[in-house]
Amino acid sequence: MVSLTEQYPILFTVYNLISKINIYYILIGFFIYLVIRPYFYYFKNRNSLAPGPLPLPLIGHWNIFLIGDVAQNKYNLSEKYGEICDITMFGQRCVIISSPKYLKELFSPSVYSPFLRRLPLTSGFIELGMDKEGLLLNCDIPKWRHNRKFFQQSLSPPSFIELSTKYTVECCEEIINYWSHIKEDSNQIVKLDEWFRSFTSDMMGLVASGSKETSMKIQFMKFTNQIYKEKDIEKEQNRGEIYRRLRSEYADALGFYIFVPKILWNFPGISIAAKYYKNILNYLTDFEIQFIKERKQQIKNENDDEVSSQNSKVRPDFLTMLITQNTEDDPSPDEIKQNIREMFSAGTGTTTTTLCSIVYLLAKHPEHEKRMVEEILSVIGKDNRITSSDLSKLPFTEAVINESMRLYPVVPITYRYSPDQDTQIANYHFNKDTIFAINLSHIHRNEEYFDKPDQFIPERFLGKWKETIPQFAFSPFGHGMRSCPGKNFAMTEIKVILATIYRKYTFKLVNPDEPLQLKFTLVNDISKMEVYIEKRE
Ligand code: HEM
């Protein structure tokens, strides 16, 4: 009798092969795919290449490590390969631009610009709902425009600026109260990065949605070695605290969805994490939608005149501003939710890192700190509360902020991308779908535009400094249609914090010889900053 194996030899060979495939082969295959894919893109676009290197690190798909070194000026790509050169990112062609000369099209302020998108869509961004909602990664241009209008309008009214100044001052007073427990000459090390992180989180909670949070309180408990019991905080039944915790889980979810490709989400082990983060996203969404519904009801209970009057029971925070836009195409609860979320994700870490870089630079340059404090004392005095009208009277303080952001831009690289149109930059042709990475950290340290570019010289930002440098040579908040909508808010907040805190305290670095400890994800995040805090005489 002829066996089945002999009768169907090919079928059995195939069957044998399939039965041997296990998860490891799939992983190896995926790894090889990641290695090959960028080279495929590189050669496909070869005829239109600007001079540049073949993408160097093997896994070009995650060239984020190379980008990280470039972003922190540890690797001078442009010195080696020119001011326009090629790498790959997310498996796609990515052109790094390190000169302001080539940014006219990319930073165009026109609504018809083909570069209204920041990055191509990935499955992670879609899972996070960021592809069609909010601003940061929104690729749906009509929807992005709709949200951008609301976001910007909500941050602009004088009542909102007054309110955010007031809340920033209140949070400063809270932190000063905690720091007053530090004993003189105790040499107690203070983790300033953690304090500022909790500060910005509490402050943003108040400004965005009116929720009083307890990050600083927890920080204080940790600092004084009081046993931090989750239950103590829970007892307060504080809604703000629940929201704070959900947001911190959301930050982890962001990392997961951005860096773990969808193909891996169903793998054993990883699938547990994927499910967990999905639940967090759902829970957070339900929480926020409920919050928005309640606020809408509250606003409905008041008539229009009351809402905008001083006697209104409804707080004029960012959430109220978003709901009461009074236009025909009001934002939906989902859009409001995403805008609030992005206010936290784009507005807390950025401010924390900028504040830490300022403290770091001032600690190294006491002569500039002295001048800044003198300015603050002469405008506001030692104990008066700062008001929004004082802010324009602090040019040197503003120069200190600008110079710190020049040396350590929180967003060292920003992106533009057009899926619809080829483009021509500096006589090179680029196919549509090319990602453009704008190397702000390199541009900010170019000696052609900034004398002694590695030195901290705030004076360069006094007077008519804008006329002395070319357009786009200084861009800590980006430029054009997708520039930072929180710029004025952030500058106000940072100035208020510096003015309120520096007139009372001075900071000494625990390790003055260490460089500023920054960690690059998609932005620069301060990873460690230890100081001694001293009361000012
Ligand atoms: C020191 C603080 C901050 C810095 C240095 C900063 C910097 C930036 C930069 C460089 C961009 C990209 C701009 C571009 O690509 O042209 C950006 C975008 C953005 N920022 Fe900020 N930012 C800060 C604070 C804030 C705050 C407080 C908020 C919220 C109130 C905010 C909300 C946003 C949003 C929503 C976007 C995306 C805009 C869009 O794509 O349309 N940022 N920011």
Side-chain angles (χ1 to χ4, degrees), residues 487-501:
K487 177 181 167 180
N488 291 339
F489 172 72
M491 285 301 280
T492 304
E493 186 190 351
I494 295 172
K495 259 197 226 171
V496 172
I497 296 170
L498 293 182
T500 317
I501 288 179

Side-chain angles (χ1 to χ4, degrees), residues 118 135 144 148 346-347 350 354 414 416 476-479 482 484-485:
R118 181 161 284 121
L135 302 181
W144 165 78
R148 174 100 195 180
T350 45
T354 304
T414 189
R416 291 293 185 275
F477 294 99
H479 281 287
R482 279 201 97 134
C484 177

Side-chain angles (χ1 to χ4, degrees), residues 422-438:
D422 290 8
T423 190
Q424 191 89 11
I425 293 179
N427 290 333
Y428 295 112
H429 179 86
F430 297 101
N431 292 348
K432 61 186 178 186
D433 257 345
T434 303
I435 302 173
F436 292 94
I438 303 157

